[in-house]
Amino acid sequence: MDKHEYKVNLKWVEERKGILSSPELSAGKSATDNSIEVATPPEFPKGMPHIWSPEHLFTASVSGCLLTTFLAIAENSKLEFTSFECEAIGVMEKVEKRFLMTEIILKPKLIIMHEKDRDRAERVLLKSEEACLISNSINTKVSMEITVAVV
């Protein structure tokens, strides 16, 4: 498991919009069944509202990595939980004449079954962010605002 490749195809459709897909994910499906529209966000000239932007996808990749890393660590830790949700906010700013994603704020909300597991749940969430492959691969600051509640 030293090296892996993840194939993604992007095809321009019109104006400032394209279709993102992956041949690895569409086995047995039509190409459109597993595609995502991607466009310039509406904050920019000719941007399109209501379509995934690269900035949304960047933010989503950090959030999705937190989820998958958390699931693995929680399972190994035998942490019982009933719900995991995560709001993620990607902050884009102009820095030295360039636009950068300067911060991703993760707001995981975890519902656990027992009060005695609260501290451990918080530790598992922190460990998950520290171990997240995507967070470790980017220069963007990643911060978390953790909420743990008991059923």
Side-chain angles (χ1 to χ4, degrees):
M1 270 184 64
D2 291 338
K3 182 178 177 180
H4 299 279
E5 294 181 349
Y6 300 89
K7 296 176 183 159
V8 175
N9 298 328
L10 183 60
K11 182 178 180 180
W12 173 74
V13 177
E14 63 182 347
E15 298 178 13
R16 299 271 179 122
K17 182 171 71 170
I19 299 290
L20 184 66
S21 64
S22 173
E24 301 168 342
L25 304 177
S26 52
K29 301 177 186 175
S30 75
T32 57
D33 285 346
N34 198 32
S35 62
I36 299 171
E37 285 186 314
V38 179
T40 302
E43 297 81 21
F44 291 95
K46 298 185 182 180
M48 301 179 148
H50 313 296
I51 297 177
W52 284 88
S53 69
E55 295 81 359
H56 286 102
L57 294 169
F58 183 82
T59 303
S61 69
V62 175
S63 181
C65 188
L66 176 67
L67 169 67
T68 57
T69 306
F70 169 78
L71 292 173
I73 293 173
E75 182 179 337
N76 289 336
S77 301
K78 299 189 180 0
L79 176 66
E80 295 180 359
F81 64 97
T82 60
S83 176
F84 177 97
E85 296 178 11
C86 186
E87 176 186 349
I89 301 166
V91 179
M92 181 181 61
E93 297 179 282
K94 198 168 195 177
V95 178
E96 298 175 8
K97 299 182 183 180
R98 299 184 323 167
F99 285 104
L100 299 174
M101 295 297 287
T102 57
E103 184 176 14
I104 304 289
I105 304 162
L106 300 171
K107 298 182 177 186
K109 296 177 184 171
L110 183 64
I111 309 283
I112 58 175
M113 298 167 62
H114 310 288
E115 180 63 39
K116 66 178 177 62
D117 291 333
R118 182 182 297 275
D119 289 341
R120 186 161 58 106
E122 290 179 7
R123 285 193 311 273
V124 168
L125 282 165
L126 290 170
K127 186 175 180 181
S128 299
E129 196 285 313
E130 290 171 9
C132 174
L133 166 74
I134 303 297
S135 292
N136 289 327
S137 299
I138 62 175
N139 292 327
T140 304
K141 176 186 174 186
V142 178
S143 60
M144 281 204 313
E145 299 173 10
I146 295 171
T147 301
V148 177
V150 181
V151 177

